[in-house]
Amino acid sequence: MLKTKATYFYQAFINSYSQLFFSDNKIFAYLLLLSSFIDPLAGLSGAVSLCVAVLFSYWIGLDRNSIKHGVYSFNALMVGLVMGITYHWSLPFAIILSSASILSVLLCVLFHNIFTKYKVPVLSLPFLLSLWLVMLSLRTFNHVELNIRITESALSIWSQQFHLPLFFDVYFKSLAAVFFQYNLIAGVLAAIGLLIYSRIAFSLSLIGFSIGYLFYFLMVGEFNQLLYSYIGFNFILTAITLGGYFIIPSFRSYLLVVIATPIIAILISALANFLIPYQLPLYSLPFNIAIILFMMLLNSRVHFKNLHFVARQLFSPEKNLYYHQNRTERFKNDTYFHVHLPFFGEWFISQGFDGKHTHKEDWKYAWDFVVVDEMKHTFRLPGTEVTDFFCYNLPVLAPAAGTIWNIVDGINDNEVGDVDTQNNWGNTIIIKHGDFFFSKLSHLKKGSLKVRIGDYVQRGELLATCGSSGRSPEPHIHFQLQSTPYIGSKTLLYPISYYMTKLNDKFTFHAFDYPEEGETISRVAITPLLANAFNFIPGVIMKYEVTNETGATEIVSWEVCIDAWNQSYLYCHTSKSYAYFVNNGTLHYFTEFIGDRKSMLYHFYLAANKILLGYYDQLEVTDKLPITNFYSGISRFIQDFTAPFNIYLKAEYSSKFIFTDDDLSPKEIKTESKATIKAGSIMLKELNYELIIHKNKIAQIITKTKQGTTIATCID
């Protein structure tokens, strides 16, 4: 218990340093901590103020996770750093320092509660307001004295012997000024930490500062305001924040930085003149105002094509970018409501979008389904009665869960070749799946409807049977999606979630796609063996005996868990790794891996990255893998610099079924999968896997690499 709390408070302490640059990188935090102590009194004051803020936040009962990430304490850290530079250490100073730290926490909570509804960040406003209030108050508290520095620290004196070009000298000192150490050594340490933490953030810092530097050169012709004040870092922080923290890094986000930087310069000059009469420092005020203005601007958009907000903050521009890119590639067509085909078995699309008969203009996004034989005939001879048609009286199913909203029944089937234009849609069911989202199934058989208005139906539930009522010269199902609940509503372009197409006895899997006229399609036929094997029930622990290429063995255990956001994952007790997954009844797929990339769980994450839960011989399923799980070293280092403009490193996945002992009721299935790593079109590496599914379990996971074969065998 004591060790756990000590670890927690250590994380809260060290994360507060990296939060100065919107990071959670520990190496960066250590370098910033070290830099802050180049001025020992400033470093000490910052650390004390930070500790007071963490302890107070914890004692008062604020969110533990936010405390751990330094959300409530990094402003207090900045307050302490400035006060350590400005005032002389004494008992009264220590009391004021502690009070200022607590004040920054109070203001942080206040601003957070106000700003949340406007979707803008708090940033360092609590630091500024706390510091200003303390500075104003100390003009009446005589026992807290200003710190008149007669001598500088040895490191500061030593660093003065280095003479860099003016641009780099000001750049490094501006980086150091983020934590109020206007010192070359501190700036170099910060630059090294920034480069280790993020290549994108480092490049943005250079771009933002360069444009600000150029602006002063063009407008003023000299740099005294940047050289002898703590304001140059406003350009750096604005560039990092706008270019890669709140916005997904891209060419457009870099362009936004170019646009924002002169505005920062205007704010610096204007606000400095405003604050001079009050003898208050400017510090990060221009940065705060600029970011809040731009965030409110971006929140007011009605078109989001050019600049994308970071949906899930990973505290690294590279991670934000690669996560966004992978999610976009994998799920760009995914929909909130998953709509499935409204029938069992194989059907033929006799009329699709913008069809030649009735699917025109506002009603063009619809499908007509029939059943055909090998010769594409829709009926058995003689074909003069509706009962001769293959699809007649076959079940019609709910395409998705919802409420029965409207029903028409009682219209007779037409004679073959006749149409009823007075009752165009014939017997019809309309289902409400959500606000402004409905499905309509028409031309149903009279008296076959199994539901009533107000009934709630599940996906796949029997609704009625296929008929030939309304404008229907022969039996078929008319299916469309619409945004209004009326019988004659306009159609809505919306994809079918998952389905199979068949051509020359070969099946192709489609996800969130639009079936086309002339295709033979069907639902994915789920195989119970696969569905049961990948049905990972929370609380279940799976154990595997892993034998590597050398013959050495170990036992690993994976527990099925659910986090606070209702996301399912496998947790490896041996490697302390996590593999997040989704099972939607049609597909099992992994979404993220966190942990040891040498673990067996990591290889299972790759082997079963995307598995169709229905067996189709030799059917291939493909997907994209996040490059963060594969690349490191110099290749990743270079890619990070160019990633906002071009991601040339790729990681691709494919899987297919290669064996079953019985097509109808299998007891064993084998899959083959591979992960391919590429630079452009050049293949760099390939990992090969086999899964053996047996007795409703994943019985074996076989990993094949150049070093040999590793086999994990289920033992429970």
Side-chain angles (χ1 to χ4, degrees), residues 284-310:
S284 60
L285 183 59
F287 155 70
N288 280 269
I289 292 176
I291 293 300
I292 290 171
L293 289 174
F294 274 97
M295 290 298 289
M296 294 189 78
L297 171 69
L298 293 170
N299 284 327
S300 300
R301 291 176 298 167
V302 293
H303 301 290
F304 299 87
K305 181 179 178 181
N306 293 329
L307 293 163
H308 301 282
F309 279 127
V310 172

Side-chain angles (χ1 to χ4, degrees), residues 208-227:
F209 182 78
S210 299
I211 296 170
Y213 188 91
L214 180 62
F215 183 89
Y216 269 83
F217 179 80
L218 293 174
M219 297 297 169
V220 183
E222 52 86 35
F223 312 102
N224 288 337
Q225 199 171 12
L226 292 181
L227 270 170

Side-chain angles (χ1 to χ4, degrees), residues 360-371:
K360 299 291 186 181
E361 298 178 358
D362 290 337
W363 298 271
K364 64 182 178 180
Y365 299 124
W367 297 277
D368 286 343
F369 300 112
V370 297
V371 177

Side-chain angles (χ1 to χ4, degrees), residues 619-650:
L619 175 70
E620 186 174 59
V621 174
T622 60
D623 210 344
K624 303 292 185 181
L625 297 168
I627 68 170
T628 50
N629 286 331
F630 295 96
Y631 296 97
S632 59
I634 189 64
S635 60
R636 171 72 182 278
F637 188 85
I638 296 171
Q639 171 66 99
D640 288 347
F641 276 110
T642 64
F645 313 102
N646 178 39
I647 300 177
Y648 56 84
L649 296 179
K650 307 290 182 183

Side-chain angles (χ1 to χ4, degrees), residues 399-400 402-408 425-433 437-442 444 449 451-455 457 463 479-489:
T403 302
I404 303 299
W405 203 255
N406 204 348
I407 281 177
V408 173
W425 302 104
N427 301 313
T428 295
I429 294 175
I430 292 179
I431 307 172
K432 181 179 181 179
H433 305 290
F437 188 60
F438 302 82
S439 62
K440 184 177 77 168
L441 299 124
S442 297
L444 305 173
L449 279 65
V451 292
R452 295 177 296 180
I453 292 176
D455 287 352
V457 295
L463 301 177
F479 178 50
Q480 69 180 53
L481 297 156
Q482 54 193 54
S483 59
T484 53
Y486 310 113
I487 297 293
S489 291

Side-chain angles (χ1 to χ4, degrees), residues 5 123 199 332 361 406 423 443 457 465 512 559 591:
K5 276 198 172 182
L123 302 173
R199 274 60 60 200
K332 61 184 175 183
E361 298 178 358
N406 204 348
N423 301 287
H443 310 308
V457 295
T465 61
F512 303 98
E559 184 174 359
T591 57

